[in-house]
Amino acid sequence: MYIDYMRLLTSFVLLCISATQAQLSNNEEYKENLKLSHLSDGKLLAHFEFKTKINRVKTMPLVDYGLYPKAIGQVLDSLSVSEMHLSFTQGRWNYEEWGYPPTLASGTGVELWAWIKDFGEVDTAWKALTNTLSGLFCASLNFIDETITTEPRLSFQSSQHKKDEQLRYGSLPHENVCTENLTPWIKLLPCKSKSGISVLLNPHKIYNSHFHTMAVHAKSICLNELCSEREVELIQTITSVMDPVRETSRRDWLLSTVFDRQLKNVCPLAKESKIFIDLENTGDHYELKPANQQLSNNTAVYDLSQEALDTSMTWQHENSFQYPLEPKRPIVYAERYFTGYGQERGGLKMTIHNEHKTESISVIYYDSIPWYLKVYIHTLQIDVIGDHNSKEVVQKMYYQPAIDRGRPSTLECQLLLPPNSIVTLSMDFDKVFLKYTEHRPDANRGFDIGSAVLSFKDLGKDM
């Protein structure tokens, strides 16, 4: 009788496990990918992407969590957040030599923007969101208060959002990124760093790079007008720009050497686990191992579900890498810098390049300027280098002045860049006299100003 009972119990447990796996396979899916690209200056770009998705779920707070992390799901449900983007970045992305990044661009430090349903307490929900994410990722997001929070009207827009949702944006450009931020980020993955592509996330290698960014993109998408059903999606990305030429003067690399970890097995919960190697900027005389890869759109594809591998790429006839004399620039790129001198007055200048020979391109320029830089909007000047009329460049503009110790200045411009032109925006500001308690501990270093955002309305790119 005891043996029969144990058999029934074992069968029941196996049945429950099978039913749970079937439910996960039908409603949830997890994909992980790594894309390696070669930049024009010899650097190696590694882009990790981990996507967790619940396909169809009733519009109510989730109770049972499988692959989707409960910490993120509860934030979306309890604070009525329909979309959230959080990034941790160190370094400067070189648009003129590297082109566009493989993911949403972000400025140095921490950047957060979210769409929140308007139930009359959006600011309260935004404050709760920053405090929650601050504790979750061991960051100083709780310092994003009303003095650095803005409400963009033209940028970060999407047709998926309804009229009862409001947008909030904030950034901390002086925030440093460290392993204490990476550890809770990895814990959101179904397989953590025990198996699959996430094994390669070695902080010593990722942070020892020219540029690295870590991001979390969470969405709750309604599937019908009544929003009775929805999809919940979480995309986690890590992008790092490494330089093998700096150590050996050659572009050769081995996957286990680049990350100092061996990729041995696939994550058993992953529906897809692949490595993509972009063959652009590689030339013709290279050797890629293993040689059993699939080729698609000038990209080599390795499926980790079939075998464990250690990919390598060598250039046998290349004794040392020769830097290109003229890098291939993107169609649209921009720079922003400060002008003036002294401790009282200054200026802000933004230069936007349109390299397209025949087409005009519509872009949206967004800038959040701290309250202690008193901007004079009447000094805003727009110049066009080229045979074009500057009055036709500005299509729409939104400006919200700052309040001392209350809110920053917000400037948004929808611009139509003429073909083969350079558009320059400039304006003056004064530096407000600060109390001694308002200076940072390292006052001699100065203040960090957040990055401006340039959105390509037609191309779907952000800078």
Side-chain angles (χ1 to χ4, degrees):
M1 186 67 182
Y2 176 74
I3 297 177
D4 293 339
Y5 174 76
M6 291 301 297
R7 288 178 178 176
L8 290 175
L9 181 61
T10 304
S11 301
F12 177 74
V13 172
L14 292 176
L15 181 62
C16 290
I17 294 176
S18 301
T20 303
Q21 291 178 346
Q23 184 179 4
L24 288 177
S25 62
N26 292 331
N27 296 331
E28 294 184 291
E29 62 180 25
Y30 169 65
K31 298 180 180 180
E32 56 178 13
N33 295 309
L34 167 62
K35 184 176 182 180
L36 299 173
S37 304
H38 302 85
L39 303 177
S40 60
D41 58 354
K43 294 181 176 61
L44 181 65
L45 170 63
H47 176 67
F48 296 84
E49 181 173 303
F50 307 90
K51 184 177 181 179
T52 309
K53 184 177 180 181
I54 305 178
N55 292 320
R56 303 184 73 90
V57 62
K58 298 294 183 181
T59 302
M60 60 181 65
L62 293 175
V63 178
D64 297 326
Y65 288 89
L67 303 179
Y68 198 91
K70 185 177 181 180
I72 299 297
Q74 287 184 335
V75 169
L76 298 181
D77 288 336
S78 61
L79 301 179
S80 301
V81 177
S82 61
E83 184 175 352
M84 178 189 71
H85 299 269
L86 173 65
S87 62
F88 300 82
T89 306
Q90 286 292 302
R92 177 180 176 272
W93 181 269
N94 191 345
Y95 286 91
E96 296 186 37
E97 293 189 1
W98 302 345
Y100 300 120
T103 183
L104 284 176
S106 56
T108 302
V110 175
E111 190 176 52
L112 172 66
W113 54 279
W115 284 91
I116 305 173
K117 292 184 179 179
D118 187 4
F119 294 117
E121 297 181 351
V122 175
D123 293 330
T124 303
W126 170 254
K127 185 64 176 178
L129 177 64
T130 56
N131 288 332
T132 303
L133 296 178
S134 176
L136 181 61
F137 292 101
C138 299
S140 302
L141 288 165
N142 55 305
F143 286 98
I144 299 181
D145 54 11
E146 64 277 359
T147 62
I148 55 178
T149 298
T150 61
E151 304 176 32
R153 303 298 177 88
L154 303 178
S155 303
F156 310 106
Q157 302 298 316
S158 174
S159 59
Q160 298 178 353
H161 301 288
K162 300 181 179 180
K163 295 182 180 180
D164 61 344
E165 296 177 346
Q166 292 192 24
L167 175 63
R168 293 293 185 271
Y169 173 90
S171 64
L172 295 173
H174 57 271
E175 182 77 5
N176 293 319
V177 184
C178 191
T179 54
E180 63 185 10
N181 309 122
L182 178 63
T183 300
W185 187 94
I186 292 178
K187 289 183 178 180
L188 299 177
L189 300 174
C191 292
K192 309 298 187 287
S193 59
K194 303 299 182 182
S195 61
I197 294 178
S198 57
V199 172
L200 301 176
L201 296 177
N202 185 354
H204 296 286
K205 292 295 185 178
I206 292 176
Y207 293 150
N208 184 24
S209 58
H210 288 260
F211 172 89
H212 60 83
T213 180
M214 177 180 70
V216 175
H217 310 286
K219 287 184 180 181
S220 179
I221 306 171
C222 294
L223 299 180
N224 50 44
E225 294 183 358
L226 299 178
C227 201
S228 59
E229 289 185 334
R230 57 180 175 143
E231 288 182 352
V232 184
E233 180 183 85
L234 174 66
I235 299 178
Q236 298 175 245
T237 62
I238 286 184
T239 305
S240 182
V241 177
M242 305 174 181
D243 191 4
V245 180
R246 180 179 59 183
E247 300 178 358
T248 62
S249 299
R250 295 170 58 93
R251 291 185 290 173
D252 301 349
W253 56 266
L254 179 65
L255 192 63
S256 58
T257 304
V258 170
F259 299 102
D260 198 21
R261 288 184 179 178
Q262 182 71 39
L263 187 60
K264 296 181 179 180
N265 51 5
V266 68
C267 174
L269 299 175
K271 182 179 179 180
E272 177 182 288
S273 185
K274 295 182 179 180
I275 294 180
F276 300 88
I277 300 178
D278 190 356
L279 301 180
E280 188 177 358
N281 297 325
T282 58
D284 299 327
H285 306 286
Y286 65 86
E287 183 179 5
L288 182 61
K289 295 181 180 180
N292 59 343
Q293 75 278 4
Q294 301 177 0
L295 292 178
S296 175
N297 297 326
N298 202 26
T299 302
V301 183
Y302 293 96
D303 192 348
L304 299 184
S305 61
Q306 299 178 0
E307 61 176 343
L309 56 91
D310 190 9
T311 314
S312 66
M313 199 167 188
T314 57
W315 286 261
Q316 297 292 343
H317 303 286
E318 187 177 279
N319 295 325
S320 62
F321 174 70
Q322 301 296 324
Y323 289 90
L325 297 178
E326 186 67 26
K328 184 180 179 181
R329 291 187 173 91
I331 296 177
V332 176
Y333 62 97
E335 307 99 9
R336 189 189 69 162
Y337 47 91
F338 290 97
T339 60
Y341 57 90
Q343 298 297 323
E344 296 182 9
R345 298 176 179 85
L348 188 66
K349 196 167 187 178
M350 179 77 174
T351 304
I352 309 174
H353 300 255
N354 180 12
E355 298 289 335
H356 203 286
K357 301 299 181 182
T358 58
E359 292 187 10
S360 299
I361 298 178
S362 178
V363 300
I364 297 177
Y365 171 71
Y366 165 83
D367 204 348
S368 175
I369 306 169
W371 61 267
Y372 48 80
L373 299 181
K374 186 179 294 184
V375 178
Y376 297 105
I377 192 64
H378 72 278
T379 63
L380 178 63
Q381 185 175 353
I382 300 176
D383 300 319
V384 180
I385 299 178
D387 190 14
H388 304 284
N389 188 359
S390 60
K391 295 182 179 180
E392 300 176 355
V393 172
V394 180
Q395 304 290 307
K396 190 183 298 183
M397 180 182 293
Y398 169 76
Y399 174 72
Q400 184 182 53
I403 297 177
D404 287 352
R405 299 171 181 84
R407 72 183 182 198
S409 300
T410 303
L411 175 64
E412 291 184 277
C413 298
Q414 182 175 334
L415 307 174
L416 185 63
L417 305 180
N420 196 22
S421 65
I422 301 176
V423 178
T424 302
L425 291 80
S426 60
M427 56 184 171
D428 300 332
F429 62 79
D430 285 345
K431 300 177 183 178
V432 176
F433 185 81
L434 298 177
K435 304 174 183 178
Y436 79 95
T437 56
E438 293 173 335
H439 288 272
R440 294 181 56 82
D442 51 347
N444 60 308
R445 181 177 174 273
F447 291 88
D448 295 281
I449 308 300
S451 302
V453 180
L454 190 66
S455 302
F456 292 43
K457 189 174 182 180
D458 296 332
L459 302 180
K461 296 286 185 180
D462 287 333
M463 293 179 63

